[in-house]
């Protein structure tokens, strides 16, 4: 094979790779748009009246995840099944965002932490790496850390809305989450930096709870019961 023939073959391979990346980008853009729609919907819970409509907003978000599952099915067909990590960078950010959104919906519904397997089911992908397009553990953990930041914000807005029991429940949840992360030996630099931010979320929520205690509103929250979810 001549030099020109060798480079012609290389150009063909490069062109094929670029075509795959372009097809992936198109689907990822659609996923990002759906994620923005879900986020916009869920942001309504931070406003006063939004607390009364949490079940309805969660139901609407669940409907949007049907679109996510369809888009994920399309994404799976855009690259060779054995090259997940070669193209992973293209969808890593939006997948982490979708994990956060799924985790937020589940928390609003039941005030529990969604499992990686449950998130994978919500998104229409696999939890097991050996079974193909899957939810990487680090992507799951990144999404959960974003949830912690969102709940810190929710704790503050709960007080503004007059819901004094919710910050207490959020505090208990975040402290349990922090204890769980402390069990992990995180090697990933990006994930490690994200985890370092968790202590600020813990501190922010502790300040909210302390303020409630000083004002005597934590007793009112306890007497008033768990409040609406």
């Amino acid at each position: 094979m001549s030099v020109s023939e060798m480079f012609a073959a290389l150009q063909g391979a490069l062109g094929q790779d670029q075509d795959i990346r372009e097809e992936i980008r198109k689907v990822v853009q659609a996923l990002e748009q759906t994620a923005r729609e879900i986020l916009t919907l869920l942001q309504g819970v931070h406003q006063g009246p939004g607390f009364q409509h949490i079940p309805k907003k969660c139901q609407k978000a669940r409907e949007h995840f049907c679109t996510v599952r369809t888009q994920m099915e399309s994404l799976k067909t855009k690259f060779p099944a054995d090259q997940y990590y070669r193209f992973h960078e293209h969808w890593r950010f939006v997948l982490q965002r979708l994990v956060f959104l799924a985790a937020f919906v589940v928390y609003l519904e039941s005030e529990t932490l969604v499992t990686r397997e449950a998130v994978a089911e919500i998104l229409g992908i696999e939890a097991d790496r050996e079974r193909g397009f899957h939810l990487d553990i680090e992507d799951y953990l990144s999404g959960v850390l974003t949830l912690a930041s969102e709940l810190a914000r929710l704790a503050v807005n709960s007080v503004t809305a007059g819901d004094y029991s919710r910050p207490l429940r959020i505090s208990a949840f975040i402290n349990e989450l922090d204890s769980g992360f402390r069990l992990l030996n995180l090697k990933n630099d990006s994930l490690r930096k994200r985890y370092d931010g968790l202590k600020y979320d813990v501190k922010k929520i502790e300040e909210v709870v302390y303020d409630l205690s000083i004002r005597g509103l934590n007793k009112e929250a306890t007497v008033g019961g768990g409040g609406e979810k």
Side-chain angles (χ1 to χ4, degrees):
M1 183 183 290
S2 67
V3 171
S4 60
E5 288 173 334
M6 288 172 58
F7 276 83
L10 291 172
Q11 176 55 38
L14 286 173
Q16 197 174 37
D17 189 75
Q18 289 168 355
D19 289 343
I20 291 174
R21 293 181 186 278
E22 182 58 31
E23 288 298 310
I24 290 173
R25 270 193 287 269
K26 290 177 183 177
V27 182
V28 167
Q29 285 174 353
L31 278 167
E32 288 172 342
Q33 177 59 36
T34 307
R36 282 192 291 270
E37 292 171 4
I38 298 172
L39 180 61
T40 300
L41 175 66
L42 293 178
Q43 288 303 294
V45 306
H46 290 285
Q47 301 163 4
F51 285 93
Q52 302 168 15
H53 305 297
I54 284 178
K56 188 177 294 185
K57 290 182 182 298
C58 289
Q59 183 180 353
K60 291 285 289 183
R62 291 271 185 181
E63 292 172 7
H64 281 292
F65 277 112
C66 292
T67 302
V68 170
R69 286 193 288 274
T70 300
Q71 292 166 338
M72 283 293 184
E73 283 300 320
S74 176
L75 181 58
K76 295 173 188 178
T77 68
K78 302 303 181 185
F79 64 97
D82 60 345
Q83 296 186 21
Y84 176 92
Y85 283 105
R86 181 180 182 187
F87 301 105
H88 175 242
E89 197 63 27
H90 288 285
W91 60 75
R92 179 176 60 86
F93 175 78
V94 71
L95 190 56
Q96 291 175 1
R97 173 60 61 88
L98 289 167
V99 169
F100 149 61
L101 293 171
F104 194 27
V105 168
V106 170
Y107 179 83
L108 290 173
E109 290 173 338
S110 62
E111 297 191 355
T112 60
L113 176 63
V114 69
T115 65
R116 184 164 68 100
E117 291 75 16
V119 175
E121 184 177 349
I122 291 171
L123 301 183
I125 58 179
E126 301 293 340
D128 189 350
R129 177 175 179 174
E130 281 67 37
R131 298 183 65 177
F133 195 105
H134 63 284
L135 176 56
D136 186 82
I137 292 176
E138 292 178 352
D139 289 338
Y140 166 73
L141 292 174
S142 291
V144 169
L145 287 170
T146 304
L147 171 67
S149 298
E150 191 73 8
L151 291 181
R153 180 184 170 207
L154 187 63
V156 174
N157 292 328
S158 296
V159 176
T160 304
D163 185 347
Y164 304 131
S165 64
R166 191 178 298 273
L168 304 180
R169 302 196 305 272
I170 290 176
S171 178
F173 176 82
I174 292 297
N175 279 312
E176 191 174 358
L177 194 65
D178 183 45
S179 297
F181 269 95
R182 290 177 187 276
L183 297 174
L184 303 178
N185 182 18
L186 300 176
K187 300 292 186 182
N188 180 296
D189 288 342
S190 174
L191 187 58
R192 179 73 203 185
K193 288 177 183 176
R194 294 283 301 279
Y195 167 62
D196 288 341
L198 180 59
K199 62 185 177 184
Y200 297 107
D201 296 324
V202 171
K203 183 179 179 182
K204 184 176 182 179
I205 296 168
E206 285 177 345
E207 288 173 351
V208 172
V209 172
Y210 177 73
D211 185 58
L212 288 173
S213 177
I214 291 296
R215 294 159 60 189
L217 296 174
N218 61 332
K219 296 177 182 177
E220 179 181 326
T222 303
V223 171
E228 286 192 31
K229 294 182 183 180

